[in-house]
Amino acid sequence: MTKPDIRDFTRQELARAMVSLGEKGSRIDRIFNFLHRKGAESFDAMAGVQEELKAKLSSRYSMAPAPAVEKLVSKLDGTIKLLFTFQDGAKAESVLLFNKKTVSACISSQSGCACGCTFCATGGLGLKRDLKPSEIVAQFAACRREAGRALDSVVFMGMGEPFMNWANVKSAILILSDNKGYNFPQSGITVSTVGVVPVIRELADSHLTIRLAVSLITADDKQRLELAPVSAKYPLREVIGAARYYADRTKKAVLFEYIFFDGLNDTPQHAEKLLARIKDVKCKVNLIMYNPNPAGNNLKPGNIEKAKEFQKILVDAGIRTHLRREKGSDIAAACGQLAAGLEIPKPA
Ligand code: SF4
């Protein structure tokens, strides 16, 4: 039988596991600290921990070897993409984005994705598998090492739909934010969903203080159904309803993401349509140009002048917006381009 990986445990889970071995108190925090602050890669690497305790732990639990990591650097803007290959061959990517004074890590929650959004390279791959908490945390640790400094923010906008692997993503967030571990503030973590309504509501009712981003993509139901098949289960009205519930419960603004496709959803009428849907939600809107990728069939990126006109309509109505400049497009690191070097089957 495969032994559970001890790095998948939150501190509470580790405490339960160690209490069942007759351990307690400061020893629990010490082991957690070795795993999630000092980055111990084996039980033997826990210098100073009693041999008897290490033997007990290793008889019950495993520690998977660190993933292989390959690195690509954008010649356009210095964005860094890291490709992780885990023990079983599953792959995922993280992206390090450098702004004037800040550095942000965009990390993956799944290898591939089952949602099948037609504009997204990850969706073109289908779901390979969920990532474990330790594999999500390993991406954070590698990004931090690569940045050579503390990260300012972490966004779950890499490969996968985080709310379809929520139990593992939540554990990873609890590990990252634990003050005996990495101690990364939850307020610096944003989870982006294509609109998994029940989990948006669960997050609203939870004690987590992370931020929520909802990828609306477009404000038209028919278009959205074509671009994001998950809309058949979670229509826009319900997605925005859940986002409103989150904003009301948490008093935090929701970040809505709108993607510009040339000739599809980029006119002033589309801006009015979006406005009508979100005007009573405490929110900010990120306007993102579609980034071409092999999954995107006939889709084309929007036009910047039209996007500015669109933005003005939202701003005039009092909505905070940001017209996002995409980074890392020369290394396929921009939004919607992550495919972990795997071949994307041609769209039908
Ligand atoms: S956009 Fe997000 S939810 Fe949609 S297929 Fe891509 S990774 Fe999955």
Side-chain angles (χ1 to χ4, degrees):
M1 204 178 77
T2 328
K3 292 189 266 187
D5 192 318
I6 195 168
R7 282 178 298 194
D8 286 333
F9 293 162
T10 62
R11 186 151 54 98
Q12 238 183 7
E13 290 164 343
L14 180 69
R16 276 199 292 272
M18 287 183 62
V19 167
S20 76
L21 293 175
E23 299 294 335
K24 56 184 180 193
S26 62
R27 282 183 155 196
I28 296 167
D29 289 352
R30 185 142 185 247
I31 298 296
F32 190 85
N33 189 276
F34 262 113
L35 297 172
H36 298 298
R37 183 170 290 184
K38 297 185 177 146
E41 306 235 322
S42 67
F43 292 105
D44 283 341
M46 297 179 182
V49 172
Q50 297 79 352
E51 291 304 319
E52 184 208 342
L53 175 55
K54 287 196 265 189
K56 261 204 261 183
L57 290 174
S58 63
S59 69
R60 296 265 188 111
Y61 305 107
S62 64
M63 284 173 78
V69 185
E70 292 164 59
K71 170 178 159 184
L72 283 176
V73 183
S74 166
K75 291 193 174 68
L76 296 175
D77 49 45
T79 296
I80 294 174
K81 183 166 84 166
L82 300 177
L83 166 64
F84 297 84
T85 305
F86 299 102
Q87 195 181 16
D88 65 349
K91 291 175 187 291
E93 291 180 323
S94 300
V95 180
L96 259 181
L97 297 147
F98 299 89
N99 298 309
K100 272 186 199 134
K101 291 188 180 153
T102 59
V103 54
S104 172
C106 173
I107 60 184
S108 294
S109 55
Q110 296 178 307
S111 176
C113 182
C115 290
C117 299
T118 55
F119 57 90
C120 171
T122 310
L125 295 174
L127 178 66
K128 307 295 182 193
R129 72 165 170 83
D130 288 337
L131 296 185
K132 299 188 298 174
S134 56
E135 293 168 335
I136 296 169
V137 172
Q139 293 174 67
F140 171 91
C143 285
R144 205 174 65 154
R145 264 195 313 276
E146 197 55 54
R149 50 163 286 192
L151 300 172
D152 296 286
S153 59
V154 169
V155 294
F156 281 86
M157 295 183 187
M159 299 174 78
E161 164 52 65
F163 283 176
M164 289 193 180
N165 183 23
W166 181 228
N168 287 352
V169 170
K170 191 158 75 172
S171 292
I173 290 169
L174 292 174
I175 292 169
L176 291 177
S177 57
D178 197 299
N179 63 7
K180 297 283 188 275
Y182 290 107
N183 199 19
F184 190 83
Q186 287 190 12
S187 58
I189 300 176
T190 301
V191 175
S192 175
T193 176
V194 74
V196 181
V197 168
V199 187
I200 296 176
R201 289 181 174 271
E202 184 191 320
L203 175 63
D205 293 333
S206 77
H207 294 300
L208 293 177
T209 56
I210 59 170
R211 296 184 173 274
L212 172 71
V214 177
S215 189
L216 293 182
I217 307 160
T218 187
D220 179 274
D221 282 302
K222 199 159 158 274
Q223 279 179 355
R224 193 171 198 269
L225 191 57
E226 281 166 20
L227 294 163
V230 75
S231 308
K233 191 166 181 190
Y234 304 119
L236 262 182
R237 190 176 45 81
E238 286 182 29
V239 172
I240 294 173
R244 186 184 298 109
Y245 179 74
Y246 167 89
D248 292 347
R249 286 280 287 172
T250 64
K251 313 285 179 245
K252 287 189 177 63
V254 178
L255 178 67
F256 286 129
E257 293 156 322
Y258 189 96
I259 308 179
F260 278 102
F261 300 94
D262 185 47
L264 200 73
N265 62 349
D266 54 356
T267 66
Q269 291 73 34
H270 290 111
E272 295 292 354
K273 198 165 189 168
L274 173 63
L275 198 53
R277 285 191 178 269
I278 63 169
K279 63 177 188 303
D280 62 343
V281 184
K282 182 175 178 186
C283 68
K284 184 181 168 189
V285 178
N286 256 6
L287 301 169
I288 305 166
M289 290 294 169
Y290 163 64
N291 292 297
N293 67 76
N297 221 352
N298 297 321
L299 298 167
K300 293 195 186 68
N303 164 296
I304 189 75
E305 292 313 318
K306 281 181 159 183
K308 284 182 182 164
E309 204 182 328
F310 190 107
Q311 181 179 28
K312 185 169 181 315
I313 292 169
L314 298 184
V315 171
D316 288 350
I319 307 275
R320 284 189 301 145
T321 68
H322 176 61
L323 183 52
R324 204 159 89 184
R325 209 183 118 239
E326 285 306 305
K327 293 187 170 179
S329 55
D330 59 328
I331 52 168
C335 199
Q337 292 185 320
L338 300 182
L342 298 168
E343 195 171 332
I344 300 162
K346 286 245 171 300

